[in-house]
Amino acid sequence: MTIGPTRLQTLLDEVVRTTPEQTALRHDDKALTYAQLDMASRTIAAGLRQFGIAPGDRVAWLLPNCPEAVAITLACYQLGAIAVPLNYRYVTQELEEILTRTAARLLFYHADRASVVQPLTLNSLQTIEVAGAGDAPLPFEQLLSGEPDDVRAPVHEEDAALILFTSGSTGHPKGVVHSHGGVYSAIAQSRELFDFQASDVVLVGKPISHAGGLHTQMMAAFLAGAEVVLMMKPAPAVAVAAINQFGVTEYGMLASDLLDFVEYLEQHPTPLPTLNNAIGSGDAVPSDLHHRFRDLLGWEVMEGAGMTEVSCYYAGNPRYGKRKWGSLGLAAPGMQLRVIDLSGDDCPVGVQGEIVLQTPSATIGYWNDDEATQTLFQNGWLHTGDLAYRDEEGYVWFVGRKKLMIVRRGSNIAPAEVENIVDEHPLVHATVVVGVSDPRDGQIPVACVALVEDADPSAEASIREYVEQHLAAYKNPVHYLFLPELPRNATGKFDRHQLGELAAQQFGGEK
């Protein structure tokens, strides 16, 4: 078996060799060529090696979309270290839990998150502040003071390169581990799906701490030698200005952000002559929004679906050719996709079942969670938990999720995780968190709460404050529904279905 360099470690080699002065990355007022990005990543890798980071060590980062996050990730791949991107919205409790589980040796963080990082109690963890004049033990500039090198750690394609965290239905965040070969496959499959060319300019606004921004957009564009304009969830006006300033040809958005984008253009008509592809994902794009987009731009938005466990899209409407509004499209390049029934047989056309996959981009398992890994893979197929059916042309139509996950603007929220926090409040007797449909966010979390007897009338304000201190803002319940007691089903469990209906009636959601 050949040991390194892996395809992931040599991701930039071809474009650096052929067009080193091509702009790779724009961010704020910075622009890096491919040669400069390559040098930055190799310099950081050399500094980390001298610092003692070895193959297999976990290196975490808590950063917004920025060149430093890109270079650190590429440096980890060179070193054979395992990159652990973290959700920038994490609070201290969430951050410490994940850093403890992964036994991370090093955490890069932005100065703006110092108040979240400083209370950490992990004595074995070294921290490096990336921006600002903080008192970090090892200033980031020190890593950039050495000479870049060409040393690439001898690792196998099957060795772990990346851990992406996503909430599981139990509320315990799962670390999705991807190998060098799997990460490269996700990038290559995404490049093929979106047909990125060196002439493309790709606006990346999704967080690159998630697969949607990291692999399907940014790294796929790098593989093609294209230019990336990197932003952090830009407001529509900012995105529109950037598209025209830099000649952006492709922009991927969550479905909820796509709505904001369309509404802005309807109110502020602006020609976008260079833009020729846009993607809506994370939630279904409503038919009305498809129509409004085409009325504005004269062509159809692309829609698809993916998951962290395959690190890219598993289905998408074609970049060129027939797009069916409301469908997830066709199986993506490199994906074997089936819709199966409970016995594991393929469902006939029009009959719903579960989507299962085989792909070289699939995770190699969950971090230190063999039971969950075995549940994910059954009979050689990755079970997505997504329910769908196929039409006579092979297009996939999403029906719903087997899991209880709430998906808010593309971010997964596990009800059990929120329930555990709400239940800790001394005035709370019991809690069930349900998702309610929302025209902008896709779904919003609603906490159905039974209070202890004789609870203070100001309970809601006190509970909200407590939850805000212990959970990232996007996980906080938008509404609280207080009930004398929570209904139960025939088995004695809390009746989530009934509570979901009550919450939808109360707060205007759709069943």
Side-chain angles (χ1 to χ4, degrees):
M1 184 179 295
T2 304
I3 299 180
T6 65
R7 292 170 296 169
L8 185 59
Q9 290 175 319
T10 61
L11 181 75
L12 300 183
D13 283 10
E14 179 64 19
V15 66
V16 170
R17 182 184 67 81
T18 57
T19 54
E21 299 308 309
Q22 160 75 14
T23 298
L25 189 65
R26 294 187 186 275
H27 177 264
D28 291 342
D29 57 350
K30 300 177 183 177
L32 294 177
T33 66
Y34 274 96
Q36 290 170 329
L37 178 59
D38 178 59
M39 180 172 292
S41 65
R42 290 191 293 114
T43 301
I44 294 172
L48 289 175
R49 188 178 293 108
Q50 293 177 3
F51 184 61
I53 298 298
D57 285 344
R58 273 73 69 198
V59 175
W61 54 259
L62 184 70
L63 300 167
N65 286 2
C66 60
E68 291 85 355
V70 180
I72 290 166
T73 303
L74 292 170
C76 287
Y77 297 156
Q78 300 299 318
L79 282 169
I82 302 173
V84 187
L86 299 173
N87 190 320
Y88 196 60
R89 296 174 290 184
Y90 279 157
V91 297
T92 302
Q93 180 175 325
E94 296 166 311
L95 186 61
E96 181 147 5
E97 193 272 339
I98 285 176
L99 293 172
T100 299
R101 284 173 53 201
T102 58
R105 284 206 50 200
L106 189 60
L107 170 67
F108 290 95
Y109 70 95
H110 193 276
D112 289 347
R113 302 302 282 163
S115 62
V116 174
V117 173
Q118 287 169 357
L120 293 173
T121 61
L122 304 173
N123 295 328
S124 61
L125 179 73
Q126 181 75 63
T127 61
I128 300 177
E129 188 176 276
V130 171
D135 297 323
L138 180 65
F140 184 68
E141 290 73 16
Q142 183 177 331
L143 294 177
L144 297 172
S145 63
E147 293 294 324
D149 64 36
D150 294 319
V151 177
R152 286 163 171 162
V155 294
H156 297 95
E157 294 281 351
E158 298 80 13
D159 289 335
L162 178 72
I163 303 175
L164 296 173
F165 273 86
T166 180
S167 293
S169 58
T170 63
H172 189 58
K174 293 187 177 73
V176 183
V177 186
H178 289 283
S179 68
H180 276 253
V183 171
Y184 182 86
S185 293
I187 294 167
Q189 289 168 224
S190 298
R191 178 194 176 181
E192 184 177 351
L193 175 64
F194 298 117
D195 192 35
F196 286 143
Q197 303 295 322
S199 57
D200 276 314
V201 180
V202 181
L203 175 56
V204 177
K206 296 179 180 179
I208 61 171
S209 57
H210 302 293
L214 183 64
H215 294 155
T216 71
Q217 299 292 290
M218 185 181 72
M219 291 292 187
F222 287 162
L223 185 60
E227 178 180 320
V228 169
V229 179
L230 188 62
M231 294 183 163
M232 189 70 171
K233 292 184 72 66
V238 175
V240 167
I243 289 169
N244 281 329
Q245 180 180 357
F246 301 114
V248 169
T249 59
E250 197 265 6
Y251 182 28
M253 292 164 275
L254 298 175
S256 51
D257 295 328
L258 177 64
L259 173 59
D260 295 339
F261 186 75
V262 167
E263 286 183 345
Y264 176 83
L265 288 176
E266 288 173 340
Q267 296 167 13
H268 306 85
T270 308
L272 301 174
T274 62
L275 190 69
N276 58 46
N277 193 34
I279 303 105
S281 61
D283 292 299
V285 178
S287 178
D288 173 67
L289 187 55
H290 276 286
H291 282 281
R292 292 162 65 188
F293 184 94
R294 189 173 67 177
D295 289 344
L296 284 166
L297 284 94
W299 43 273
E300 298 174 357
V301 70
M302 186 175 179
E303 187 173 2
M307 62 186 304
T308 305
E309 284 79 357
V310 296
S311 202
C312 60
Y313 285 73
Y314 64 71
N317 275 276
R319 171 76 188 266
Y320 305 106
K322 186 175 183 179
R323 295 181 179 178
K324 290 190 176 184
W325 291 352
S327 80
L328 301 181
L330 301 167
M335 291 283 170
Q336 293 186 59
L337 185 154
R338 299 169 60 205
V339 178
I340 64 171
D341 59 24
L342 293 176
S343 65
D345 295 329
D346 291 302
C347 293
V349 169
V351 176
Q352 78 174 51
E354 182 182 4
I355 296 174
V356 296
L357 307 167
Q358 286 184 346
T359 172
S361 68
T363 176
I364 56 177
Y366 293 114
W367 182 259
N368 289 343
D369 196 338
D370 292 339
E371 182 178 351
T373 301
Q374 292 172 5
T375 300
L376 179 68
F377 291 100
Q378 299 175 36
N379 299 317
W381 291 86
L382 186 154
H383 285 242
T384 67
D386 288 341
L387 301 175
Y389 65 89
R390 290 179 113 158
D391 65 19
E392 63 283 350
E393 295 181 284
Y395 284 73
V396 181
W397 296 80
F398 179 74
V399 175
R401 294 177 176 85
K402 287 179 66 176
K403 303 173 184 177
L404 299 175
M405 195 71 68
I406 299 167
V407 182
R408 183 181 187 186
R409 283 191 172 245
S411 294
N412 289 346
I413 303 171
E417 182 182 18
V418 185
E419 289 160 5
N420 290 338
I421 297 299
V422 178
D423 283 341
E424 289 176 359
H425 194 281
L427 295 180
V428 173
H429 172 65
T431 310
V432 169
V433 174
V434 297
V436 170
S437 296
D438 182 85
R440 189 170 298 278
D441 283 5
Q443 288 181 301
I444 55 173
V446 174
C448 304
V449 178
L451 297 173
V452 297
E453 190 174 355
D454 299 323
D456 190 291
S458 63
E460 179 170 350
S462 176
I463 295 169
R464 280 188 180 277
E465 181 179 1
Y466 181 84
V467 173
E468 288 170 0
Q469 293 173 352
H470 291 81
L471 283 177
Y474 74 98
K475 300 177 184 177
N476 290 186
V478 175
H479 301 291
Y480 285 80
L481 176 60
F482 292 95
L483 300 167
E485 62 181 42
L486 302 183
R488 296 175 182 270
N489 60 24
T491 63
K493 297 180 181 180
F494 290 131
D495 193 333
R496 290 182 178 273
H497 179 73
Q498 183 179 348
L499 288 168
E501 290 185 334
L502 289 172
Q505 292 169 6
Q506 179 77 17
F507 301 110
E510 299 176 1
K511 294 182 182 179

